[in-house]
Amino acid sequence: MLLDGKVVASEKMERLKSEIKGIIEKYGIEPELKLIQVGNDPASTIYANSKIKRGTKLGINVTLEKFDNITMGKLVDYIKDANANSRINGIMVESPLPPSLNFQEVVDNISFYKDTDGMTSFNQGNLYTKNEMIAPATARAVVDILEYYKIQPGNACIINRSAVVGRPLAMLLLNRDYTVTLCHSKTVDIKRIARENNVLVVAIGKPDYIDESYVTSESTVIDVGINYSGNKISGDVNFDSVSNKAKNITPVPGGVGIVTATDIFENFLNGLKYQIKEKLI
């Protein structure tokens, strides 16, 4: 079965749009998400513009603050000012940052309730105690797809150990009673491990790398990878090879990516609700 992310994202967009409209009408506020970009990375600019468009559809004012170059001290000061500004309800730092700026050190200055990307150490740590108010959007998107298509919890193999995907996703799946195995470049016999798990999540940045030898007829395959080659977009999974064997699979594009783009605003909404509840705005 094709696990179509467009369907998942569309239904979530309608729910978010309705909730945000209700908040605007009830409290008379104009929700704002502040994006921060340092440098001129083309992909970063594309993603920022995509968030601006999606935010407009939801009734959220998404603004981009772009710096050609900036010191760590001045960037931290800017973030602290945004934290203190009650009119700004969410903050996201676009990646990559220049080598002179450490991404984790930068984002850890964002107030946890304005951390729309879910990347602060505080919000990452919250996942260990089943507090999922704000979680990394890609990890949340994988869970959303599994739950939407009613994939029963079982054993899950994640080929990725980053703070963006693998580690937070492991916690989210553990919170849902999965038995989780994290694999990475140093793992021995990944193919065998992958086949022994009924859910396989792949995020390795290698186009079409995972073939049918990694799966069985009972496998549900979630392809997180997005790789560009000219005008072609492909995942980390060889779709033609694996889809003929696996039970379920996500496409690329149209799978995890579009749900991730929506889940960013799920985080924003959850943070906004917290700010209203705590009378921070």
Side-chain angles (χ1 to χ4, degrees):
M1 177 173 67
L2 185 71
L3 307 181
D4 190 348
K6 295 190 294 295
V7 175
V8 182
S10 178
E11 290 195 13
K12 176 163 279 197
M13 281 287 288
E14 289 304 311
R15 178 178 63 79
L16 293 176
K17 186 175 181 179
S18 176
E19 287 196 51
I20 291 165
K21 180 181 179 181
I23 287 173
I24 292 172
E25 292 175 350
K26 183 175 181 179
Y27 296 99
I29 61 176
E30 297 180 4
E32 180 176 345
L33 169 59
K34 176 67 68 177
L35 306 179
I36 300 170
Q37 181 181 356
V38 182
N40 295 291
D41 180 75
S44 181
T45 299
I46 290 171
Y47 289 139
N49 289 334
S50 175
K51 294 184 190 87
I52 291 170
K53 291 177 182 178
R54 190 167 291 264
T56 300
K57 293 178 181 178
L58 292 169
I60 298 168
N61 182 29
V62 183
T63 58
L64 173 63
E65 189 68 34
K66 194 169 183 178
F67 301 98
D68 290 332
N69 196 14
I70 192 170
T71 65
M72 181 71 172
K74 288 184 178 180
L75 182 55
V76 169
D77 286 343
Y78 183 86
I79 289 173
K80 289 181 176 179
D81 287 342
N83 284 334
N85 188 342
S86 62
R87 294 178 63 86
I88 295 175
N89 310 111
I91 303 168
M92 279 191 70
V93 177
E94 299 294 317
S95 62
L97 290 175
S100 59
L101 300 172
N102 181 282
F103 180 82
Q104 194 62 51
E105 289 181 12
V106 170
V107 299
D108 275 342
N109 289 280
I110 301 173
S111 296
F112 73 91
Y113 49 84
K114 293 191 179 185
D115 174 27
T116 301
D117 211 11
M119 290 303 298
T120 62
S121 297
F122 186 96
N123 282 323
Q124 291 262 358
N126 266 346
L127 302 182
Y128 284 77
T129 59
K130 297 187 178 182
N131 180 347
E132 300 176 6
M133 181 180 85
I134 295 177
T138 304
R140 192 190 290 279
V142 172
V143 171
D144 282 347
I145 291 171
L146 291 172
E147 292 185 335
Y148 182 89
Y149 286 101
K150 296 180 171 57
I151 306 301
Q152 292 301 308
N155 298 327
C157 170
I158 306 169
I159 309 181
N160 180 281
R161 58 175 168 178
S162 73
V164 177
V165 183
R167 294 170 193 254
L169 178 57
M171 289 301 104
L172 293 178
L173 292 178
L174 282 171
N175 292 346
R176 288 157 179 79
D177 297 325
Y178 280 83
T179 299
V180 181
T181 302
L182 274 176
C183 295
H184 47 81
S185 60
K186 306 300 182 184
T187 303
V188 177
D189 204 0
I190 291 181
K191 286 185 180 182
R192 174 187 59 79
I193 297 170
R195 289 194 300 266
E196 291 174 351
N197 289 263
N198 63 301
V199 172
L200 174 62
V201 182
V202 184
I204 58 176
K206 295 182 178 181
D208 298 325
Y209 185 85
I210 301 297
D211 60 24
E212 63 179 7
S213 65
Y214 286 80
V215 304
T216 72
S217 59
E218 294 301 311
S219 297
T220 291
V221 182
I222 309 294
D223 188 353
V224 180
I226 300 179
N227 304 287
Y228 297 92
S229 178
N231 294 325
K232 182 185 177 184
I233 301 175
S234 61
D236 294 339
V237 176
N238 186 314
F239 185 87
D240 292 338
S241 170
V242 174
S243 62
N244 287 326
K245 187 175 182 181
K247 185 176 183 179
N248 305 300
I249 188 170
T250 58
V252 177
V256 175
I258 192 169
V259 183
T260 298
T262 305
D263 275 339
I264 287 169
F265 292 97
E266 175 98 9
N267 282 339
F268 177 87
L269 176 59
N270 289 344
L272 177 62
K273 288 178 179 177
Y274 178 89
Q275 292 165 61
I276 292 170
K277 177 184 174 184
E278 299 298 323
K279 296 181 172 55
L280 300 172
I281 54 178

